[in-house]
Amino acid sequence: MSNLADGYEISADPDRIDAARVHHWLSTDAYWAIGRPREKQDRAIAGSLNFGVYDTLSGDQVAYARVITDRATFAWLCDVYVDPAVRGKGIGTALVEAVREHLRPHGLRRILLATHDAHGVYEKAGFEPLADPDHWMAHLY
């Protein structure tokens, strides 16, 4: 499914997510979620498909991603984060590939994401820029 470095495993088991660790990562180090309150992060986790990467020896979570989807036509991949201590091992790419493969049986038309600085990670997993970005709109509160 993915080329995950030895010593790590990917799981979609929501009970394995270390919500406190994920909140800390995102609210203190992820440009898109700086300052996100814990309660809001917990609601996001509860309403999403969640994926974690875990150190097989310690069991510690070292990466996270979540997906918002109807499981029929569309998915939004977001909050992808790899602990700085394990970056550079291909964990992010393997995580995104595993998410993509997990969603494949649903026959989705597209999986979207937004990134400011990780285009290369997503390109390795088959993502590409929107062909017609001017067709997309957003409502911001």
Side-chain angles (χ1 to χ4, degrees):
M1 177 190 318
S2 62
N3 296 319
L4 188 59
D6 286 340
Y8 298 95
E9 65 180 341
I10 298 172
S11 174
D13 179 352
D15 293 332
R16 291 187 70 185
I17 298 298
D18 183 339
R21 179 172 286 188
V22 168
H23 174 256
H24 175 75
W25 284 336
L26 297 178
S27 68
T28 64
D29 191 42
Y31 66 84
W32 65 90
I34 296 291
R36 183 182 290 168
R38 172 69 191 266
E39 181 272 332
K40 184 171 284 222
Q41 184 62 48
D42 288 347
R43 282 191 293 134
I45 289 170
S48 302
L49 292 175
N50 297 277
F51 298 83
V53 179
Y54 303 89
D55 182 302
T56 56
L57 293 178
S58 69
D60 291 340
Q61 186 170 351
V62 299
Y64 174 75
R66 69 184 181 93
V67 175
I68 303 153
T69 183
D70 60 9
R71 293 180 175 92
T73 62
F74 179 83
W76 179 264
L77 173 60
C78 56
D79 287 347
V80 178
Y81 187 90
V82 178
D83 188 301
V86 298
R87 289 182 188 164
K89 297 180 178 185
I91 289 172
T93 299
L95 175 58
V96 172
E97 289 172 346
V99 168
R100 184 195 65 211
E101 292 308 309
H102 183 91
L103 295 171
R104 185 180 301 280
H106 297 293
L108 305 174
R109 181 172 175 167
R110 66 179 46 95
I111 303 169
L112 291 180
L113 61 86
T115 185
H116 176 73
D117 59 355
H119 294 80
V121 169
Y122 298 108
E123 287 169 352
K124 290 176 190 173
F127 285 81
E128 56 191 51
L130 290 173
D132 296 308
D134 55 326
H135 291 188
W136 293 86
M137 297 178 71
H139 180 289
L140 303 177
Y141 287 96

